[in-house]
Amino acid sequence: MDFLDAARSRFAPALAPHLPEGESVESFLDLIRPARDAQFGDFQANFAMPLAKRAKKPPRDLAAEIVAAADLTDLFDQPEVAGPGFINLRVRDDVLAAETAKLAADERLGVPIVENPQTITVDFSSPNVAKPMHVGHLRTTVIGDAVCRILRLRGHNVIGDNHLGDWGTQFGMILYGYKNFRDDAAYQADPVTELARLYRTVNTLSDYHAAKKKRPKLTEVVEAKRQAVADAPPPADKKAKKALSKLKQEAGTAEEALAAADAKIAAVEADTDLAALAAAHPTLAAESRAETAKLHAGDAENRRLWEEFLPPCLAALQTIYDRLGIQHDATYGESFYQPMLAGVVDELLEKGIAEESDGAVVVRDNVDPAGKPVPGPFVVRKTDGAFLYGTTDLATVKHHVEELNADAMLYVVDSRQGDHFANVAATARRWGFNDTDFRHVSFGTVLGEDGKPFKTRSGDTIGLESLLDEAVERALAIVSENDDSKPDGPELDANERGDIAEAVGLGGIKYADLAHNRESDYKFSWDKMLSTTGNTATYMQYARARVCGIFRMGGVDRDALRDRFVADGGEVLLTDPAERAMALQLNRFAEAVREASRDHRPNVLTDYLFDTAKAFSAFYEACPLLKAETEDLKSSRLILADTTARVMHAGLELLGIRVIDRM
RNA sequence: GCGCCCGUAGCUCAGUUGGAUAGAGCAUCGGACUUCUAAUCCGGCGGUCGGAGGUUCGAAUCCUCCCGGGCGCGCCA
């Protein structure tokens, strides 16, 4: 049972007479929380202090009054009022035992279906087609998948949507590359690799030309900034000091930009083939854009090529998703919305929401639900008549609300796009989509060990596939080393080792990402994410594998044990503090799922699983299972172990992490 | 110039819309293996929550200022 939730509903009626005018009971019920220290019991209610202020009563008296009025004693021991007015709750042992027995028999492990299931679309992953996925896609993919799984378990109708970039400027580059640089044999043999090569080539050349063109200006800027720094008088006051430090920073930024441009130029000029191509195709950037425009305008050949390119690219993406165990329910790429875009802009213009500005169409003066201005303007049509991703996002809103009946739309996209999604949501509301809950589920950047965005040593972004390969490779080394050092010699064959390494390696990457608060940046560290100790996937997988090991050792079939326990009306016995803590922790699974879904924070769930694994270790240490004194105690403890394994399994599954029975 | 975010133990991070003595992991130090899997467990050390004011019964959390860092600012996504 979700005791926290139960306590909230029990306190609600007792609270009602003391509520200040116009305030909702929920905000006070939210002050019922897990006890921050076991000495205070299992849960604590903190609402007496703020309520007492309004009621002009001593908080301890009010607390006692509310406790007396609340119907609690069938679940909790007599509550204690402590300190300035905290109410401490302790679950009755007999209730805890009975509820734990129920949990053991419950397929949903106590997680209820929400009362009002919603249709929720979740935009996540959303890579560009024909550009290899890279480390930048990791968080949206991993967090988005976990968010979908958690909402789905809660009973919502979740539509995980892969908003593919299948219509953008990269296709113009690929079309140009295909028409000019194609290696036919390579394309026949492996279209995706060849298309990726073509994209890279065109992109490199395009960057080269741009860098060449920008270089004089950049040099000028660097000179000017350096000169300005040199000319600046010694700062006389704080303001001058700040200005100087800012100037120095700008000089540094300019130098970096110049260095980056030089690197791009050097990369091409060092390669005679590339240099020749660059010279032969001086206008390739503009021509690539023209190819994109032709595609968008319905050019027959480009359209045919686009249709030819797409399937193998999608299949390549699917290979990665399959490996990661990730599924989308829908794939409405940008191209899907293309026919609706003109209508979207026209409608916004008609309704006076959008206006023309310098030939473009923009939406101005957007405000967020709190009435705060959103930085704009929000461009929905370019001067040349082309549409932007904001236009596509608005068409997506219309489609998802009208065709999919979305009650809520979640965007699992990095935090730098906050302004963009604020504009999408604000425009959609002005457009009339007032009943839809738009949520930007934003996340921070993955940093390297140096604290800067995660790149290879040479400064390139890291491909997702090679990242996964490296994780599995490192995991295999750990698995093998551990297995080799087992006291009775290795237990696993090469196949098993490979399978475990896959689960541990990929699990490690996912878990490290999910265990951090999604809003913060985090440092990517192989050693930390694959560590066998601490808050890692490996530790969690091991904790569960240990339980499996116990059952193997004891020759006990878990399903049979559970069936017999249920059929016999078996009891859970709480004879030891560690046993009680374990039982309570298992009952908290529903609470953890609820809290994790509240603001879409998978790290709430990882914390819970870590606590559960620790609780099991303590329980396992303190309480003999297979060697328990009596048969009843043995069966009770095995049921606790079995339920622990099921909770770990269900929890890891919610995170998209595989479990392994032996490691 | 405008806007958003961040600063918590040596390191990496939690801290649940203001609650009791600020937590965890790693590292470090000390203990526990003829084991129910030691990929483990138990214990110790470690903090002016960037700084200064303010709000109140109570602040890491809210407000103001300062210091330090990151990011975003019409026709890329």
Side-chain angles (χ1 to χ4, degrees):
Chain A
M1 172 186 272
D2 186 342
F3 289 108
L4 183 57
D5 196 51
R8 283 178 178 157
S9 43
R10 295 307 179 83
F11 268 118
L15 235 40
H18 303 283
L19 285 181
E21 199 68 30
E23 294 215 30
S24 77
V25 70
E26 272 74 24
S27 60
F28 293 98
L29 291 176
D30 275 349
L31 295 174
I32 305 171
R33 295 175 184 174
R36 66 171 296 284
D37 191 315
Q39 63 166 308
F40 302 134
D42 300 327
F43 300 94
Q44 60 181 63
N46 303 333
F47 48 60
M49 287 81 81
L51 282 175
K53 195 186 299 183
R54 307 310 228 323
K56 299 206 166 76
K57 272 187 200 176
R60 291 187 60 105
D61 293 356
L62 185 66
E65 218 175 294
I66 292 171
V67 165
D71 188 12
L72 295 165
T73 48
D74 61 327
L75 293 181
F76 302 99
D77 291 338
Q78 182 57 40
E80 287 171 16
V81 177
F86 296 104
I87 299 166
N88 292 333
L89 297 172
R90 190 174 190 278
V91 178
R92 275 170 48 172
D93 284 352
D94 59 332
V95 174
L96 180 57
E99 287 299 326
T100 307
K102 269 199 221 164
L103 206 59
D106 182 7
E107 267 181 38
R108 295 185 53 85
L109 291 161
V111 178
I113 303 277
V114 291
E115 281 177 36
N116 301 305
Q118 294 188 311
T119 295
I120 303 174
T121 65
V122 182
D123 170 344
F124 76 102
S125 196
S126 307
N128 278 318
V129 172
K131 274 162 82 172
M133 282 177 90
H134 56 84
V135 63
H137 296 106
L138 193 57
R139 297 203 85 179
T140 170
T141 304
V142 170
I143 295 171
D145 180 52
V147 164
C148 286
R149 288 168 184 259
I150 291 167
L151 290 172
R152 207 170 277 135
L153 179 68
R154 300 252 293 152
H156 292 294
N157 174 30
V158 177
I159 302 170
D161 179 21
N162 202 1
H163 193 84
L164 286 180
D166 62 359
W167 197 244
T169 47
Q170 89 273 19
F171 267 102
M173 297 166 109
I174 292 165
L175 287 164
Y176 185 90
Y178 182 85
K179 292 177 183 179
N180 292 280
F181 307 139
R182 173 175 85 247
D183 175 338
D184 259 318
Y187 181 72
Q188 295 304 327
D190 181 355
V192 175
T193 302
E194 175 62 3
L195 289 176
R197 184 190 71 85
L198 293 172
Y199 170 78
R200 261 199 322 276
T201 304
V202 175
N203 195 39
T204 302
L205 296 178
S206 169
D207 282 352
Y208 168 78
H209 290 312
K212 272 289 222 202
K213 196 175 161 196
K214 268 193 316 195
R215 201 181 180 285
K217 178 79 184 166
L218 283 172
T219 313
E220 217 173 90
V221 171
V222 167
E223 291 299 324
K225 294 287 178 193
R226 277 184 187 154
Q227 196 59 46
V229 170
D231 290 351
D237 54 22
K238 274 187 184 170
K239 215 171 167 181
K241 201 176 156 192
K242 199 170 172 183
L244 181 61
S245 99
K246 179 153 190 202
L247 205 53
K248 281 183 181 164
Q249 204 179 351
E250 284 170 356
T253 310
E255 280 170 24
E256 276 174 33
L258 181 60
D262 282 340
K264 280 178 178 164
I265 292 166
V268 169
E269 291 182 348
D271 183 321
T272 43
D273 294 342
L274 273 180
L277 287 180
H281 298 266
T283 57
L284 115 171
E287 287 179 54
S288 296
R289 279 196 297 276
E291 295 290 356
T292 307
K294 275 167 71 181
L295 172 65
H296 289 183
D299 176 79
E301 190 193 5
N302 280 8
R303 178 81 199 188
R304 182 185 65 73
L305 287 171
W306 180 80
E307 281 169 4
E308 183 178 317
F309 295 160
L310 214 48
C313 291
L314 294 181
L317 285 174
Q318 197 53 48
T319 308
I320 292 201
Y321 289 134
D322 287 346
R323 187 175 184 191
L324 286 169
I326 282 166
Q327 285 188 338
H328 287 87
D329 304 292
T331 301
Y332 297 109
E334 290 175 331
S335 61
F336 174 79
Y337 300 101
Q338 196 270 337
M340 311 171 205
L341 301 182
V344 169
V345 174
D346 288 346
E347 204 176 323
L348 291 174
L349 281 169
E350 263 169 45
K351 294 195 169 174
I353 299 163
E355 60 190 89
E356 286 200 29
S357 169
D358 298 334
V361 177
V362 304
V363 179
R364 294 187 191 281
D365 303 321
N366 275 331
V367 292
D368 71 13
K372 219 174 138 204
V374 178
F378 181 47
V379 181
V380 294
R381 194 173 74 197
K382 299 200 283 183
T383 308
D384 66 5
F387 305 107
L388 296 99
Y389 78 134
T391 328
T392 309
D393 284 336
L394 289 170
T396 307
V397 170
K398 188 178 171 68
H399 173 264
H400 284 11
V401 174
E402 292 180 353
E403 305 300 323
L404 305 179
N405 300 311
D407 299 304
M409 291 182 63
L410 270 43
Y411 301 88
V412 185
V413 182
D414 95 85
S415 58
R416 287 174 302 194
Q417 297 196 38
D419 286 345
H420 171 72
F421 286 108
N423 270 309
V424 171
T427 305
R429 278 189 295 269
R430 292 170 71 179
W431 196 14
F433 298 99
N434 290 302
D435 299 329
T436 312
D437 184 13
F438 301 102
R439 286 286 186 92
H440 180 197
V441 180
S442 70
F443 55 83
T445 310
V446 181
L447 307 174
E449 311 251 12
D450 57 0
K452 287 192 263 187
F454 195 34
K455 297 270 173 69
T456 62
R457 216 163 282 137
S458 57
D460 298 325
T461 52
I462 296 166
L464 191 54
E465 234 175 328
S466 61
L467 190 82
L468 302 184
D469 287 341
E470 181 166 356
V472 173
E473 199 179 302
R474 285 171 182 263
L476 181 61
I478 294 168
V479 170
S480 301
E481 189 191 351
N482 180 69
D483 193 40
D484 287 340
S485 66
K486 279 182 182 155
D488 301 327
E491 295 173 4
L492 306 167
D493 63 35
N495 263 343
E496 286 172 308
R497 285 186 181 193
D499 187 51
I500 294 167
E502 188 84 6
V504 166
L506 301 184
I509 287 190
K510 287 186 176 185
Y511 193 92
D513 201 320
L514 296 166
H516 289 86
N517 182 328
R518 60 175 167 78
E519 305 267 23
S520 37
D521 296 347
Y522 83 93
K523 284 190 187 168
F524 190 95
S525 161
W526 288 117
D527 290 343
K528 286 201 170 66
M529 76 175 62
L530 292 174
S531 168
T532 57
T533 59
N535 191 7
T536 62
T538 320
Y539 179 85
M540 245 55 75
Q541 288 166 323
Y542 178 67
R544 183 186 161 282
R546 259 181 127 180
V547 180
C548 295
I550 293 166
F551 284 98
R552 265 200 307 277
M553 164 78 64
V556 180
D557 181 86
R558 287 173 57 195
D559 292 330
L561 169 86
R562 205 179 310 125
D563 290 346
R564 199 175 60 244
F565 183 82
V566 173
D568 295 354
E571 282 184 49
V572 171
L573 306 173
L574 304 176
T575 62
D576 186 283
E579 223 166 4
R580 186 185 186 280
M582 186 75 247
L584 185 64
Q585 182 65 18
L586 294 174
N587 278 278
R588 282 187 160 155
F589 183 54
E591 176 192 323
V593 171
R594 179 164 44 79
E595 290 299 314
S597 78
R598 181 142 111 161
D599 204 15
H600 314 296
R601 295 189 183 279
N603 69 311
V604 172
L605 193 54
T606 62
D607 284 354
Y608 168 80
L609 291 177
F610 187 36
D611 287 341
T612 306
K614 281 191 290 192
F616 181 76
S617 290
F619 164 58
Y620 177 71
E621 199 72 22
C623 303
L625 305 187
L626 295 171
K627 294 180 182 169
E629 293 87 3
T630 66
E631 275 305 307
D632 283 351
L633 195 55
K634 176 176 168 184
S635 127
S636 164
R637 286 178 177 171
L638 287 177
I639 280 292
L640 282 178
D642 170 61
T643 310
T644 302
R646 289 171 58 222
V647 163
M648 299 298 296
H649 190 157
L652 288 170
E653 196 163 273
L654 284 174
L655 302 174
I657 294 171
R658 267 180 58 205
V659 297
I660 325 123
D661 288 350
R662 59 196 307 153
M663 305 174 63

